[in-house]
Amino acid sequence: MADLDGNGILDLLSGSYPGELYWFPRNADGTFGARKTLAGADGKPIKLGKGSTRLATAPAVFDWEGDGKPDLLVGNIEGNVFLLRNLGTKPEPRFAAPEKVQADHQTIAVGGDAGPTVADWNGDGLVDLLVGSADGAVTWFRNTGAPSAPTFARGVELVADAGNPYGETDWKQRAAGAARPWGGRTKPCVVDFDGDGELELLVGDYSVEKLAPPQLPPDEQAALELRKREYGDLERRYERESDRAGIAQLSQELSELEAYDGPESAEQAAARETEIEELRAKLRTREKQLEPLRAKLEALRAKLPRERAAHGYVWLFERGSPKR
């Protein structure tokens, strides 16, 4: 939440997995207006880079230069944090090209899925940077600069990593207390949660837990094993049919065309957009041919016990032990 257009009302700002940044202006009655895609100074949607660098954007708002206009700090899937300076006006923000933020003269790289937020964590009057990550850690980068010219010190880990990639755990680890309870892809928020004058961390996460297998009588276990084999056979058939239809190749070609961000004339851009639409139509046609097979696969999957469960919790860290 941030006042992006300078009208005194907090708006909603969101990143996305494909990378676009969205702004939902809030009205005076508390409702939100239509979604807007945030644009750069050239009027085009903001992109952090090419290929995977543009994925999994997570934005925070911070007046970096102290000029009264909100700038953006945006994390990405590779663990970097980018500064996008606001070159527009208060009613119509426009952002400069992304530049990587450094700490202790090194590019910030938290190991994936950077989730930045800003707050004066140590109470010295300067706004610091706190960043969540794919492995579950939250790192504090202390601001050692000036209010209108921030610089950041080497990171200090406030929350330890989850102990495994993306917080994935096994039910046996949980039972034995060997795994940390929180997961990965952490997104921190700084707040005085209990009103005691001290800042705490609220940290959202994502985790996947391997569930304990069901304990069944012998006849039911035999029936379950039969369904598993049937599912495996059908899954392999679906993969063969998908390969034969060239879906993976079409998807790759489409991804490369959509990711292209180099110089091109208006005619070249129009030709590329036409090719993209043709590929999309071809992909939809071939995927539709596989719909009956995919429906059978999904129906059979529904009869099998879940082997994994995905969770998304919010944890409170009181500068002590976490609470969910």
Side-chain angles (χ1 to χ4, degrees), residues 128-160:
D128 307 311
L129 176 63
L130 295 89
V131 185
S133 62
D135 63 14
V138 177
T139 304
W140 166 44
F141 298 93
R142 181 170 60 91
N143 188 348
T144 56
S148 59
T151 58
F152 298 105
R154 183 186 300 272
V156 175
E157 193 175 77
L158 300 180
V159 175

Side-chain angles (χ1 to χ4, degrees), residues 113 130 136 149 187 320:
D113 286 295
L130 295 89
K187 303 294 185 287

Side-chain angles (χ1 to χ4, degrees), residues 18-97:
E20 288 81 4
L21 295 167
Y22 297 116
W23 169 31
F24 298 84
R26 191 161 66 143
N27 304 313
D29 62 0
T31 61
F32 290 94
R35 183 188 77 185
K36 296 183 179 182
T37 302
L38 289 181
D42 59 2
K44 296 180 180 179
I46 291 169
K47 295 178 181 178
L48 294 188
K50 298 180 180 180
S52 65
T53 60
R54 70 177 59 185
L55 299 177
T57 49
V61 175
F62 175 33
D63 184 1
W64 182 275
E65 298 170 312
D67 60 0
K69 294 188 296 185
D71 306 301
L72 296 180
L73 291 171
V74 184
N76 73 341
I77 199 169
E78 297 193 338
N80 303 129
V81 177
F82 295 82
L83 166 65
L84 291 84
R85 302 174 191 268
N86 190 346
L87 305 179
T89 62
K90 283 188 176 180
E92 291 293 335
R94 283 285 185 271
F95 297 94

